[in-house]
Amino acid sequence: MRPFRTAVSLALPLIAATVLTAPAHADVKDGVDAWQRGDYQGAVAQWRPAALAGDADAQFNLGQAYKLGRGVPADLAQAEAWYRRAAKQGHLQAEDNLGLVLFTANRRDEAMPFILRSAERGEPRAQYVLGTAHFNGDLAARDWPRAYALTKRASDAGLSVASARLAQLDSLIPLDQRQRGLAMLPEIEKNEARARLSAVNAAAPPAAKAAPASPIKTASLPASVPGASYTPPPVIATPAPLTPAAQAAALAAAEATAAADAAKAKPGTTYAPPPASGKLPPTPAKTKPPLNTEPIMVRETPTPARPGGGNSPWRAQLGAFGVEANARNLWTSLGKKYPAVAERQPTYFKTGKVTRLQTGGFANKGEANNFCAALTKGGQACLVVDK
């Protein structure tokens, strides 16, 4: 059986459009506003004092700024340090990114404890890494049913690289073991909800001690209802901060992965099958594309592309899927999010067991590039191809 290399490009946009709803410091919100105006240096200037004062969201955002090189020089060591400080305070997204940064830097043994915890909470990127490790049996025990189940969970969350990997596993893992993996999914989903709830509760500060009884009688007042002031601020804008459902929504919103940078690579490399035999050696960290994680508070507005284009051969590919329904579901969700997508028609190309989602009608390659650039800014993978 041909093993995969346990290496991930990790060009994984975290969440493209999120807003802090209850910052512990006003400076955090001011930094968000500055970032949205494109004033990255101003955003960093607002976040740094709050980060030094211990605000976990400010620490996470400062780590993102160093990771992206916006407002400060790109510095992975600084990004890791700020992620680590936020993670120690229970900032789950910081812990997710810390594990992925360590993995990308080839410090895999150090990364795996973070990857395991993130995967247990349902973080799709971590599930993809862990699933590959279970398939190879190098960084985790060889377990093909669990490898298939974790890759399926990541694919269902919208990671196109996981969907492409799932199609490969369909031909590499025997049917009975794939069926065992699918049978694991309900229990895995339940365990994810429990793990998220446990992590949120562990991050919450302890309840204040009750004051000693006073001999003075007072009026009976209704009990206070615990609110956001007693809960770590959420990492995304949701109707209910840090509930399990909100965490699940945030995780499900993790965008497509390796194809996000595929426009800079040779067409087809994202979905190339594994080698005929033998494990590939680990790729040095400097050759891996960096994590393209946007700060949690950044909202990007995609630029609509124009319909039309006649018989132009240029198309935009939005992903490859082992299950055609996933491709159709992705097109539906993108049509609701991007007007440029809603104006166009999808095309589903079947190649073996892989379905590639594409759209055409571009007047020229430049128009197709603009279309993909707009979607990539929002965190959606997009690759210009010549039909």
Side-chain angles (χ1 to χ4, degrees):
M1 185 60 63
R2 294 172 293 174
F4 291 112
R5 171 176 37 168
T6 310
V8 183
S9 70
L10 296 178
L12 306 173
L14 192 58
I15 297 177
T18 53
V19 179
L20 188 67
T21 57
H25 294 83
D27 291 344
V28 178
K29 180 61 171 65
D30 292 340
V32 174
D33 294 338
W35 188 280
Q36 291 176 336
R37 295 193 303 268
D39 181 8
Y40 302 127
Q41 291 184 346
V44 169
Q46 292 288 347
W47 287 333
R48 191 179 298 279
L52 291 171
D55 183 272
D57 281 310
Q59 290 170 346
F60 175 70
N61 281 357
L62 199 55
Q64 296 288 71
Y66 276 109
K67 180 65 191 68
L68 294 168
R70 294 183 183 177
V72 291
D75 189 331
L76 288 180
Q78 284 283 350
E80 177 191 333
W82 286 113
Y83 288 150
R84 195 179 295 275
R85 292 176 70 170
K88 286 181 178 179
Q89 297 194 71
H91 197 294
L92 300 184
Q93 238 178 328
E95 183 173 271
D96 295 338
N97 278 15
L98 176 59
L100 294 167
V101 164
L102 292 172
F103 192 91
T104 306
N106 232 12
R107 293 155 61 186
R108 299 180 180 181
D109 290 336
E110 185 181 355
M112 285 310 292
F114 296 103
I115 296 292
L116 285 168
R117 288 195 294 271
S118 294
E120 287 172 356
R121 294 193 299 269
E123 213 292 330
R125 301 168 301 171
Q127 289 180 325
Y128 172 65
V129 173
L130 183 58
T132 304
H134 276 305
F135 181 86
N136 286 339
D138 51 3
L139 297 172
R142 176 166 292 179
D143 187 337
W144 285 358
R146 185 164 296 276
Y148 192 82
L150 290 171
T151 307
K152 179 68 164 61
R153 287 291 291 164
S155 174
D156 290 346
L159 271 70
S160 60
V161 69
S163 298
R165 175 60 51 83
L166 192 66
Q168 294 173 349
L169 294 182
D170 284 338
S171 62
L172 296 174
I173 296 180
L175 175 61
D176 64 321
Q177 296 194 45
R178 299 202 306 271
Q179 291 174 336
R180 285 167 53 194
L182 294 175
M184 293 179 179
L185 292 176
E187 186 63 25
I188 288 177
E189 189 171 358
K190 291 179 183 178
N191 289 339
E192 288 171 5
R194 286 193 289 264
R196 285 192 296 270
L197 181 60
S198 176
V200 170
N201 289 339
K209 295 182 178 179
S214 172
I216 302 175
K217 293 184 178 181
T218 60
S220 177
L221 298 176
S224 298
V225 177
S229 59
Y230 300 102
T231 306
V235 295
I236 64 166
T238 58
L242 286 180
T243 63
Q247 290 291 320
L251 297 173
E255 302 287 351
T257 58
D261 284 344
K264 300 178 183 179
K266 294 181 180 179
T269 55
T270 303
Y271 308 111
S277 63
K279 285 188 181 180
L280 292 174
T283 302
K286 65 180 181 180
T287 65
K288 299 177 186 297
L291 275 168
N292 187 22
T293 46
E294 293 290 339
I296 60 173
M297 280 71 119
V298 178
R299 177 179 286 110
E300 299 280 3
T301 303
T303 303
R306 296 172 309 193
N311 296 320
S312 170
W314 298 106
R315 293 177 175 272
Q317 180 165 304
L318 305 176
F321 303 84
V323 179
E324 183 175 339
N326 290 344
R328 296 183 180 277
N329 291 339
L330 176 61
W331 181 264
T332 300
S333 63
L334 292 178
K336 296 177 181 178
K337 184 177 179 181
Y338 299 104
V341 174
E343 294 174 353
R344 299 187 179 277
Q345 294 296 322
T347 304
Y348 303 95
F349 286 98
K350 294 282 289 186
T351 305
K353 296 183 179 180
V354 176
T355 300
R356 288 176 168 80
L357 172 59
Q358 298 182 355
T359 186
F362 298 104
N364 49 53
K365 185 178 180 181
E367 186 173 320
N369 283 333
N370 291 338
F371 176 85
C372 277
L375 267 64
T376 301
K377 286 182 179 180
Q380 170 57 41
C382 188
L383 172 67
V384 176
V385 297
D386 184 346
K387 69 177 180 180

